Amino acid sequence: FNETPARAPATGGVERLISMDFIPESDLNRLFKAIHNANTVFTRPSSTAADDFFSNEYFLDAHDESGTNDCEKDNTWWMTLPRRLRRLRRSYLMVGGFHIENDLESRIIDCTAAIFARIKPNKISWFLGSFQKLFYRSLLSRQKSWSKSNGFDDYDDEDEEKIDEASTWAPSEDDYRDAFETLRQLDWLTSKLHRPITIAMRDVMTSAISEKISAQYDNYGMLDAVQRYKADVLSPWLCEVFVGRDVLSKENGAEEDNEEERQKRKKRLDFAVAECFVHTRQSEIFDIVADYPDSHPAVEELRDAINLATPMHRSRLAMELKRSLQKRLLHPGANTGQIIDVYINTIKVMRVLDPTDGLLNIVTDPVRSYLRSRDDTVRCIVTGLTDERSGGDLYEELRRQDAKPLEHAQYDFEDEDDSAALDWQPLSTLQQQQQWQHPVKNDGKVECKKSMTSSPDATQDILSMLVGIYGSQELFVNEYRVMLADRLLSNLDFNTDREVHTLELLKLRFGESSMRQCEIMIKDLDDSKRIISNINSTIANRDGAQQQNHTDQVKPDSSATVVDAAIVSHIFWPALLQDDLKVHPKMQEHLDQFSKEYSKLKKPRKLIWLNQLGTVEVELEMDESGATPKTFTCSPIHATLISHFEDKSMWTAADLSNETNLPEKLVKKKLIYWVHNRILRCSNFENAVVYELVPLKGSSESEVRDEMESTDHIMVDEEESEDQQAKVAASAQLAEEMKVYESYVVGMLSNLGQLPLERIHNMLKMFVSGSDHKYDKTPQQLSVLLQKLCKEDKLEVGPDGMFKLLKK
């Protein structure tokens, strides 16, 4: 019966079956009854209306010459739906121009069953998709009209223009209105077409909101604009679909029994708009964090949108930010300073979105682990705290007026010694922390009400969280000592006001006891200024007296301003670089004179000169008459090397190496500074490379170019850069500490045989903590030391990661 509808009596066929004794006579009554019922079904008005609904008469291009129904392959079939629904209502749902109220409900059920029974199971998605396209185009048409009326000329929909050009039967506003009226009568909107309506509205809404707010971070009003779009476009369209325009114009006088349904529809729409807003911002969350604080308006509006949705969206946003940070930030191409800046911005953004800090640790845990694996993290953080030029947020963080000491900020909530307060509350669960705010309507605006409970991490400031990456503040204090030593040694005018101010701020955060050595370092520099003034005045008075006694002799050079010395207490300073540099005798004469006066002034103390550190101002005068002296500010090594050319005009690198006690390779690197400044030139003499002074006259440009090219094969630095000078003290301290750690490691392995990295690390923390050099390294830094000892053939490591002494 399904394949060939039996609309005519089938008695002839039954007689043939009886004559063939195919059906027993006892079942004839049942068979005739079944045939009668089948004929009745296919001749019902609902079946006729269903056949008419799928008739090819209303197809635009959905039939071929043979009339074959191929509507499912035509993407314009949705445009015929308003005409089909209008004919269905007029021919079946309405008789004589008026509704038949008595049997209307049963007729609707029969019609719905007949239409959907004619749809094959594999075609149901196409059928619902056609209605989805109808709703989509209807809402898109309303949105386009609203955009034009509000002056948004940038709106354009290419697909709709193509449809309009392809057919003159594109649905009009009246067609959409009639179609919605018929669907309401059939009760398909809530029972059959709820999903197509939702998908169509979501697609149009997502496209419109994304176009409106994407990449707009620095201005308020994006959420308000979306709310206006909802009130002007989405809400009227939904009311027109579910209620009708006539009823919508009389909404204030509508019956009270529809109020509950309208409120449910309004809540669902508010949720859908807020969810779409959150999803759009969620795809841009990394850019929002990177642009903070310029993107602060976008962050606040995102928080308000999440409050209109559900707390689960906050968790999804946090997971998306975590994935974005791992993909776009935590890679070797990003420098440590950029990672720290984004980490700070992440903390600020998450505290706006979730002030309980319940999700902050989840988001930033990969960043903390990655920063812990980088060698320059501590130095970048300390530089940001103390350097105004590169500090930014960290520089301002140190100068906060409401900042607490790091000990209080990190451990107040774990302090078991304090008695419990009367208003003590247990820590909230993560779910309760996510529900810290509840949207409250006040004059049409969304306000937030804060919960009474919060996470302990919410009391931590940015600096305490940065220090918490390593779990100890000793690393940062030691790094600051090294940086302070570099700054003090490069401070030629002995002005320590800036360092004193920074030190006082650090003492408030890290504690006075941890900064005591830094305080002594600054005091050493202040004392040096006073001692230098005293010694230089003594030398000047003595030279003045000698000049009065020998008025007939040439006036000697005054030594009053020749030597300035930074006198440090080596016990409190980091280890400084000490090399066996032998300075030029003329320079050594001034140093010995200064040391002699210091011994008289500070008996029984004496000075030990670190000849390779410091700065020398050299004035060079050439032999030619009328030549203008040249002044250079260079290192003691450079000054020593050029001073030897006053004794002899030609030197080899080997000879200078013997005179200065420096490696020949280092001498070549330092001499190139004078070659580039055209004081020396490099040439071949008796199959040897020699350096000699460059005459001011008689040198052509080609000769100078040849001299410069002759030194290109030497891999040298023109001059020590600021970064290299800053690492002098750090490298020396690290080398000294590594010698101490090496002795401990060798002792452990000698007594215990072979040990893994983790156990060596724990034993060093236990035994080296009481010595002069505290062990504050990470396992990664210890691994570098052990690998270095393996390369030096002092240790060996097995495939199981066990370290042991190398047997020779």
Side-chain angles (χ1 to χ4, degrees), residues 3 55 141 161 212 247 249 388 405 465 500 535 599 723 753 799:
E3 297 296 333
S55 173
S141 176
E161 291 181 358
K212 182 70 176 176
V247 180
S249 60
E388 183 178 4
M465 297 193 68
V500 170
I535 292 177
S599 299
D723 293 339

Side-chain angles (χ1 to χ4, degrees), residues 193-213:
L193 302 178
H194 181 269
R195 182 175 177 81
I197 293 176
T198 303
I199 296 176
M201 186 177 65
R202 183 196 61 192
D203 293 343
V204 176
M205 181 172 54
T206 300
S207 176
I209 293 178
S210 178
E211 181 181 358
K212 182 70 176 176
I213 70 174

Side-chain angles (χ1 to χ4, degrees), residues 16 125 127 202 404 491 518 658:
R16 288 193 295 272
S125 60
F127 182 72
R202 183 196 61 192
K404 296 181 180 180
N491 191 350
C518 299
N658 295 331

Side-chain angles (χ1 to χ4, degrees), residues 209-243:
I209 293 178
S210 178
E211 181 181 358
K212 182 70 176 176
I213 70 174
S214 291
Q216 301 293 328
Y217 309 142
D218 54 351
N219 294 322
Y220 286 98
M222 294 296 104
L223 184 58
D224 293 338
V226 171
Q227 295 292 341
R228 288 195 299 270
Y229 167 75
K230 180 199 71 174
D232 296 343
V233 178
L234 299 179
S235 294
W237 181 80
L238 281 178
C239 289
E240 182 178 345
V241 171
F242 286 96
V243 180

Side-chain angles (χ1 to χ4, degrees), residues 539 543 546-547 554-562 586 590 593:
I539 295 176
D543 291 345
Q546 292 178 357
Q547 182 180 359
V554 181
K555 180 180 178 181
D557 295 336
S558 175
S559 301
T561 58
V562 171
K586 285 189 176 181
H590 294 294
Q593 186 180 15

Side-chain angles (χ1 to χ4, degrees), residues 487-495 525 564 614-616 633:
R487 292 177 182 176
L488 293 178
L489 293 179
S490 61
N491 191 350
L492 302 181
D493 58 357
F494 297 93
N495 185 3
L525 204 66
D564 284 340
T615 305
V616 180
T633 301

Side-chain angles (χ1 to χ4, degrees), residues 412-431:
D412 272 354
F413 60 90
E414 295 180 354
D415 191 356
E416 298 180 357
D417 296 334
D418 295 340
S419 58
L422 296 178
D423 57 349
W424 177 86
Q425 293 288 338
L427 297 180
S428 57
T429 62
L430 180 59
Q431 182 178 5

